[in-house]
Amino acid sequence: MKFFLDTADLDEIAEAASWGALAGVTTNPTLYSRIGGKLSGFHDHIARICELVDGPVSAESVAMTRDEIIRDGRELAAIAPNVVVKVPTMVEGLAATRVLADEGIPVNMTLCFTVPQAILAARAGARYISPFVGRFDDISEDGIAQLDDVVTAIGNYDFAGDTANGEKLEIIAASIRSANHVAQAALMGADIATVPFGILKKCVQHPLTDRGLDAFMKDWEKVQSA
């Protein structure tokens, strides 16, 4: 499973990239607003992210009609070769995705919650589909079970012929709230987990690792003082 970072923070992206395990980045309007982003600087900011990441960078269209989404998608795709256009799972989004995919522009369909939505996104030509996990948990439903259903259903078919450039369709486990979400997504075969920087750090940490390191250092101090 690959790791994407779900953020618009350049410092977080640079740090995660230095670990050698970062495969891409996903952004959205909320994440961009959290860093004080301005509309006039959005395209420049995406370009800076693309320079930091050797992998796909999902930049979201905020348009609501198919023609506007298509226009947005073309403008975003022109920023850098590794831009992926992020489009909401809705009727207008499906129509726009088909056009963009036919033009060779990769699309990440976001806000996907059900198997039928995922299959429709795949048939529309999405390169990535982002089923949300945590938002199901927020309403007392099992987000991991819903993700498992999507992974299973998409795995039943070969959608490569529908996607931009005939590439393999990949499932991005999104709205990840814990390291356990990451583990469960990996066990069920999700292709990618896109995670906030705080969760990525928690994926590295474990109390037994910390305890072992502490014991090693104390033993080494004994050696030095002997």
Side-chain angles (χ1 to χ4, degrees):
M1 186 175 71
K2 292 180 283 191
F3 285 97
F4 285 5
L5 198 62
D6 197 33
T7 186
D9 189 303
L10 297 177
D11 291 336
E12 290 182 348
I13 295 167
E15 174 61 21
S18 76
W19 300 358
L22 186 64
V25 167
T26 56
T27 64
N28 60 43
T30 299
L31 295 171
Y32 185 59
S33 70
R34 285 178 184 167
I35 62 165
K38 305 293 185 183
L39 180 60
S40 59
F42 178 63
H43 283 199
D44 288 340
H45 193 79
I46 295 299
R48 293 180 68 188
I49 293 175
C50 290
E51 291 171 358
L52 292 172
V53 180
D54 184 19
V57 175
S58 288
E60 187 159 352
S61 168
V62 294
M64 296 301 292
T65 68
R66 65 190 70 186
D67 290 341
E68 292 172 334
I69 295 170
I70 292 166
R71 184 176 63 249
D72 261 7
R74 289 168 178 161
E75 291 176 355
L76 290 168
I79 295 172
N82 53 331
V83 166
V84 174
V85 181
K86 204 171 181 185
V87 176
T89 305
M90 58 182 185
V91 169
E92 296 298 288
L94 290 170
T97 294
R98 183 69 271 164
V99 172
L100 293 171
D102 286 344
E103 294 179 4
I105 296 173
V107 172
N108 173 5
M109 291 217 80
T110 187
L111 290 171
C112 179
F113 292 93
T114 70
V115 167
Q117 284 181 319
I119 294 173
L120 285 166
R123 286 299 181 202
R127 172 67 175 81
Y128 302 94
I129 299 173
S130 292
F132 279 33
V133 175
R135 294 198 190 188
F136 269 116
D137 292 354
D138 291 343
I139 59 170
S140 300
E141 294 189 26
D142 190 343
I144 288 295
Q146 298 288 347
L147 174 64
D148 192 21
D149 286 346
V150 169
V151 171
T152 299
I154 293 299
N156 287 336
Y157 309 98
D158 178 11
F159 290 104
D162 296 296
T163 64
N165 303 316
E167 297 172 304
K168 176 183 177 292
L169 171 67
E170 293 185 277
I171 301 296
I172 303 176
S175 187
I176 296 294
R177 304 285 175 79
S178 68
N180 183 57
H181 278 171
V182 174
Q184 295 304 314
L187 288 169
M188 70 182 61
D191 301 290
I192 301 156
T194 185
V195 299
F197 186 58
I199 300 301
L200 190 63
K201 289 193 292 185
K202 288 183 179 178
C203 288
V204 183
Q205 299 164 343
H206 194 280
L208 293 179
T209 302
D210 295 339
R211 191 181 305 172
L213 286 171
D214 184 59
F216 293 159
M217 294 309 298
K218 287 179 178 177
D219 288 340
W220 184 244
E221 288 173 6
K222 293 176 184 177
V223 171
Q224 289 180 310
S225 61

